Amino acid sequence: MNQFKDIFTGKKKAEYKRAVTVQKCMRAGGKHNDLENVGRTGRHHTFFEMLGNFSFGDYFKEEAITYGWDWVTRVLKLPVDRLYATVYEEDNEAFRLWEKIAPELKNGRILRFGKKDNYWSMGDVGPNGPCSEIHFDRGKSAAADCGKPTCTVNCDCERYVEIWNLVFMQFNTRPDGAIETLPRPSVDTGAGLERITTIMQNVPSNYETDVFREILVDISRLSGKNYSPDASGVSHRVIADHLRALTFCIADGAGLSNEGRGYVLRRILRRAARHGRLLDLHEPFIYKLVPTLVGMMGKVYPEIAKRQSHIENVIRAEEESFGRTLDNGLELFEDIARRVKASGNDTLPGDEIFRLYDTYGFPVDLTEVMAEEKGLKLDLAGFENAMERQQEKSRDAASFDTSMVQEHVKHIDALMKAGLESEKTTDFIYGMESLNAEVRKAVKLPFPNVSLVLDRTPFYVESGGQVADTG
């Protein structure tokens, strides 16, 4: 609903009273973040398609509930005896409206929940309001039910699935924390296409629908490992989900980098690459799955077909780059985990977590996932301390005092006097660990330094706290 934020708050006047959307959504960071659940459940994704209806001061709670109930019972024809409604615990109006509009739910299937489950906000600042959800009971099947006698709506298991959310936009939280009533109460409703598809196709999870099936088959073909809907299929599911996220975001112009949305994508690709290793895929493979996804969704979203080659190239380049350090990093992690367990401890030291991050490019959340798989925790406070120490070193290294500048000038003078300004540029050869080169000039610098000028070199000096090439 971000594109409608200013309309909700009254800063912008809409040319229409209602809107309907089918949106590509990315959810892998910030307040609404499903990244850690991806692959572990059958309903969470980083990329998904959201169906939405919006009212801008037009209809409100009664109409929204009526429309939602009508759609799931008369259009989708879902059995009423398997549906539940939830409301915010203080929203008596919504509760009474559900009793009026859906009297079939009166006998204990209209439930009240607190802010965690039934109050929606864009963030700490911005539009917000109570919400009402429709849940579908998938029954006591082995794939869905947790088996607990207390299992009910909003249980963490797969039995009760939220398929429709009606957000009643009534308030706005200002930067100073003050809450004000919106000028025109509005409605933001949403339904995840993948979840609805699961219900309509009557399969155990989103990953068994035709939205994912072909991708999972392709992953099995590349890895030689059959997919299973149980816990052993986590890696297949993570890769399938992350492939979709990478493909659609790159098609929309996002890149891979060390900051902002580019870092989110880099984390996602590295998570997928690591799960590839768990399936014995040691060569770049994610980019090979792009044609399958384009074949499935390229007609609906022509931008991924149009930019297919670019998407494949970006993913492959990152896979190759990260692959060079992934195996070493995984080996180091296994060694650290062994030592921690042998010592009788259950927490990975912060310095070691930082080493994985700084030297091998392992995002902390990736290390955390691997640690959890071994029953270990992370010393995140120690990691933050190590990060601060490194940042302090970087600041110190960037702060030259007068003596350092003078020493640097002496080196430059010696090089200039040696006539290096007339030399041809040294060619940098990317991706090689060794090569034959010609020494064009050897220059003595202030003791004990010597400078060798080559015609070509594989050495690359990096900045920003990264490790430079040595040899």
Side-chain angles (χ1 to χ4, degrees), residues 211-227:
V211 177
F212 283 93
R213 197 174 298 126
E214 289 182 46
I215 303 172
L216 293 171
V217 168
D218 233 20
I219 295 170
S220 296
R221 177 183 60 80
L222 290 173
S223 66
K225 305 288 177 64
N226 291 329
Y227 170 69

Side-chain angles (χ1 to χ4, degrees), residues 88 118-121 126-131 166-171:
Y88 178 48
N118 277 81
Y119 197 95
W120 197 94
S121 60
N128 57 83
C131 63
L166 316 170
V167 181
F168 307 125
M169 291 292 186
Q170 294 178 256
F171 309 105

